[in-house]
Amino acid sequence: MDATHAQAPTILTVFGATGDLMAKKVVPSLWYLSERGRLPQDFVVVGYGRREWDDARFRQHVASILDERTKAAEDPQACEAFLGRMHWAHGQFDDEAAYAQLAERLGAVDESWGTCANKLFYLAVPPEYVRGILEHLAQGGLTKECGGERGWTRVLVEKPFGRDAKTSRELDELLARLFREEQVYRIDHYLAKEMLQGVLAFRFSNNLFEPMWNAQGVERIDIALLEEIGVEDRGAFYDGVGALRDVGQNHLLQMLALVTMDQPASLAADHVRTARARQLADLRPLTPEQVAEDTFRAQYDGFREVEGVSPDSATETYFKLRTRLAGPRWGGVPVYLESGKRMGGVCKEIVVTLRHTTPCLCPDDHHFRNRVTFRIEPDETITISFRTKRPGFERDLEQRAFDFFLYEKQEKAQYVEEYATLLDDAICGDQTLFVSTDEIREMWRFIDPIMSGWAEDVVPLEHHKPGTDDILIRADETLALAEMERAVGVVGLGRMGAGLARNLLEHDWRVVAWNRTHSKAEALASDGAEAVMTFAELAQRLPRPRTVWVMLTAGDATETALFGEGGLADVLDEGDLVIDGGNSYYKDAPRRAAKLAERGIGFLDVGTSGGPAGARHGACLMVGGQRREFEAARALFEDVSVPGGYRFFEGHGAGHFVKMVHNGIEYGMMQAVAEGFAILRRAEWSLDLDDVAEVYNRGSVIESRLVGWLRDAFALHGTVLEGVSGSVGHTGEGEWTVRAARELGVEDRVIEAALQFRLDSERNPSYIGQVLSALREQFGQHEVAPPTSPPANQPSEPTPPVATVR
């Protein structure tokens, strides 16, 4: 909004004008704006409350606030002018007649100014009064606007916005009935903090970190709001709300949204608020099991003695929770949210921990993590931690930091600058720092399951001594996942298994390796693996509970390894875990899981994508099974996968089913690429297919790893693909996908046609087949040389194939 509009005559009506909010935040903030010339020339404050005061008594009350919380006394003339803006309106919150009198009072101000002034209604009242005030404002005609750019009506509503999703929705429906969304200003004062506004500038006005501000570059995010103060004189209010509703549902989630949201289209309010809401929508609510395992709550000793608090209160004054982000940008990144009162010190900050490079060139083998810290209190700073070489002959490293000190606050009163910013924005019509209805809906969607779990006492309420930080250690210990001992058996050392084993070794896992051809296991010994000849020896070498990752071809090979005489089922014990990472048929997984469960052995089916290069340097993993076993092995999946490149799907067989369909889709995509390049090759122009592949893979709609691999194949074999077979090999998962589609009654024309082409190519090789073979060579290291003799006749219906690990 322009300065002219911001200077239009404005009336601010404050409901609850004798309360703490008025004294601690509103009056000092209005004075702050007045000192800096940010209030319109024609601007008055009408206090509305139950006390039978007049203007003089209200001004006396405001003067006492100024004396206590500002330096207004140093400028008596300005103070007198400021007090002259104050007016009083007596009335009960539920008195219809009083609202009619208020309307007359505001109309008298309009008349004295000779215009229809802007009306800003501030509800500085407890939540139970909000609905009644809003309804009476509407019934009394106070929400009607004059029309045009001036004479607007806006309402400022303080948190909490309801107690849960249901009451929040009811409040939102009421606001929607009485106001347009652009008239509603929902206050979360943390959004107005300079440091949090600075997060957007740090991220989107620079290119220092944004390219790596994602799951590939960030290991974890920690957000904390820890205070030394207690609930003080807010006992009755706080006992009915608790720490999670008071700051978790709003401040902490807004801070998380700011630090993880995508870049908005512009800094316009609608764009920024939409970006925040979209990021919050990616938060997945915790399941009841996760609430029990991933949340912690406590209450400081003495809280129950605070006036207004129930003597048997179960309200938390401290909490910590763990969640994981979802979505394509942040999927899998763990987030820790923490807040508490009566801590040993003040700590309000966001810490973004970056991933270390692998392998880390660290002389002491210590994988130091760089961190970016946005600190709100005790100092407002941005700190970037890093390591550098210490001067001298040795290659010693030392930790250093870049510190940016935002500024030194001039105001003693807490929250003055934040509320001054919010009031100024509300007058100017800028909703950027106010919470939208979409954001509130998403925040309650995340918080409600936690509150429900706590209400059922699935998480015990701990207690702690005030003024100490011992509870922080207990929370960390409670939420810490049971660490797997970093040892794993790898069974099957083909292209995928060997790459997986080397990947694990590089991530500091102890690997015990078995392969039917023992020389392959011995070859890994030079990389640090322990080669064994029998499954019994493998089990003997691994610490309990054991984890064994099987990377064998589907069908008989995997079945024999699991259940053959002397197989894994015979040598493993209760509590051990088997991971089937091969391309097994998904219907085999539930049967195998059940057979292993009879012996107390856990089972996960893990679809593994990315080819040998992915297994070696970071795969994409699709994990099926039971969540408890998945969580126990999560550290393993985090290290083996590309950052954020693994997901859990409840139920045995789900992981292999997702991977099977992935391969079916892959058939269709590869077929489209191959057919497209065959068409390009026949064009009337002499198109350089190398250049075509290059430009396709530079920002086009079909940019992909497949096109990149085709470009690599052209570089290796030339665009005519000389020496590459036009008969295309295939694995079982294409046919399995077609079979599953038929069973589920789903059309799969593209995938089925792609499979049929591969079958037909054995008799009718072509350039399309050469492209497909070249692609299979690139990502799967499959053989591409043409057969030395024509292939034998093949049956029209393929026999059930045996899948190989891709």
Side-chain angles (χ1 to χ4, degrees), residues 261-278:
M261 62 187 258
D262 287 339
Q263 180 171 325
S266 75
L267 292 178
D270 286 350
H271 291 153
V272 173
R273 300 204 311 171
T274 297
R276 293 198 307 248
R278 284 176 178 168

Side-chain angles (χ1 to χ4, degrees), residues 211-220 329-330 333 352-356 370 643:
M212 60 185 299
W213 212 253
N214 49 45
Q216 285 68 47
V218 173
E219 183 174 285
R220 61 183 282 172
R329 177 171 185 167
W330 290 102
V333 173
V352 180
T353 302
L354 306 180
R355 295 184 182 274
H356 66 76
N370 300 106

Side-chain angles (χ1 to χ4, degrees), residues 5-82:
H5 191 188
Q7 288 297 321
T10 302
I11 304 172
L12 169 64
T13 302
V14 183
F15 291 86
T18 59
D20 282 349
L21 189 61
M22 183 74 167
K24 295 178 179 178
K25 300 173 182 177
V26 178
V27 168
S29 299
L30 289 171
W31 173 255
Y32 185 92
L33 292 172
S34 179
E35 277 190 306
R36 289 155 178 79
R38 298 291 297 184
L39 293 178
Q41 182 176 350
D42 291 327
F43 179 85
V44 298
V45 177
V46 176
Y48 184 99
R50 292 171 288 186
R51 299 184 185 182
E52 295 184 0
W53 286 357
D54 57 14
D55 289 356
R57 180 65 186 85
F58 181 50
R59 289 169 183 171
Q60 182 182 351
H61 174 67
V62 173
S64 67
I65 295 172
L66 294 177
D67 287 342
E68 179 182 356
R69 299 181 178 277
T70 73
K71 298 179 180 179
E74 297 177 2
D75 191 345
Q77 186 175 356
C79 182
E80 183 178 355
F82 181 80

Side-chain angles (χ1 to χ4, degrees), residues 504-748:
L504 288 164
L505 289 166
E506 200 166 79
H507 281 89
D508 298 325
W509 287 78
R510 178 181 160 222
V511 174
V512 180
W514 176 94
N515 195 74
R516 184 176 60 182
T517 304
H518 186 60
S519 59
K520 289 189 175 182
E522 291 178 329
L524 274 174
S526 60
D527 293 315
E530 301 172 38
V532 296
M533 298 187 68
T534 66
F535 290 145
E537 185 182 359
L538 180 142
Q540 186 179 18
R541 294 277 191 99
L542 289 173
R544 297 181 182 179
R546 308 176 183 93
T547 299
V548 179
W549 194 312
V550 178
M551 292 294 280
L552 295 170
T553 56
D556 291 344
T558 299
E559 196 73 15
T560 300
L562 291 177
F563 304 113
E565 184 177 352
L568 291 171
D570 289 340
V571 301
L572 296 179
D573 297 318
E574 182 177 352
D576 292 345
L577 175 66
V578 171
I579 298 171
D580 179 5
N583 279 348
S584 293
Y585 187 40
Y586 74 95
K587 290 186 177 180
D588 288 336
R591 175 181 56 79
R592 290 170 177 169
K595 288 183 68 174
L596 290 170
E598 292 174 358
R599 310 187 188 201
I601 301 169
F603 180 82
L604 293 172
D605 52 288
V606 180
T608 308
S609 181
R616 176 64 183 87
H617 300 291
C620 171
L621 306 176
M622 301 149 234
V623 186
Q626 296 181 351
R627 181 170 289 279
R628 176 175 52 84
E629 291 159 348
F630 162 71
E631 292 293 349
R634 185 189 283 272
L636 182 63
F637 301 136
E638 285 186 345
D639 281 351
V640 169
S641 68
V642 295
Y646 67 94
R647 287 295 182 278
F648 172 71
F649 304 95
E650 188 77 43
H652 291 112
H656 280 157
F657 183 82
V658 173
K659 175 56 166 56
M660 177 193 74
V661 176
H662 158 283
N663 277 28
I665 294 170
E666 172 192 300
Y667 272 45
M669 293 175 66
M670 289 174 63
Q671 188 72 23
V673 170
E675 291 176 3
F677 274 82
I679 295 169
L680 290 164
R681 187 166 178 256
R682 290 286 187 91
E684 60 181 287
W685 305 278
S686 297
L687 298 176
D688 188 323
L689 298 189
D690 267 326
D691 283 348
V692 173
E694 181 71 27
V695 75
Y696 277 176
N697 228 35
R698 295 291 179 180
S700 80
V701 173
I702 62 169
E703 179 181 11
S704 66
R705 296 180 75 184
L706 285 173
V707 176
W709 279 322
L710 180 56
R711 182 189 57 206
D712 295 341
F714 285 156
L716 181 64
H717 299 291
T719 58
V720 297
L721 298 176
E722 185 175 354
V724 176
S725 174
S727 298
V728 192
H730 57 89
T731 57
E733 291 197 313
E735 182 178 349
W736 294 343
T737 305
V738 171
R739 188 187 307 168
R742 290 173 182 169
E743 291 173 356
L744 296 170
V746 177
E747 287 192 4
D748 62 337

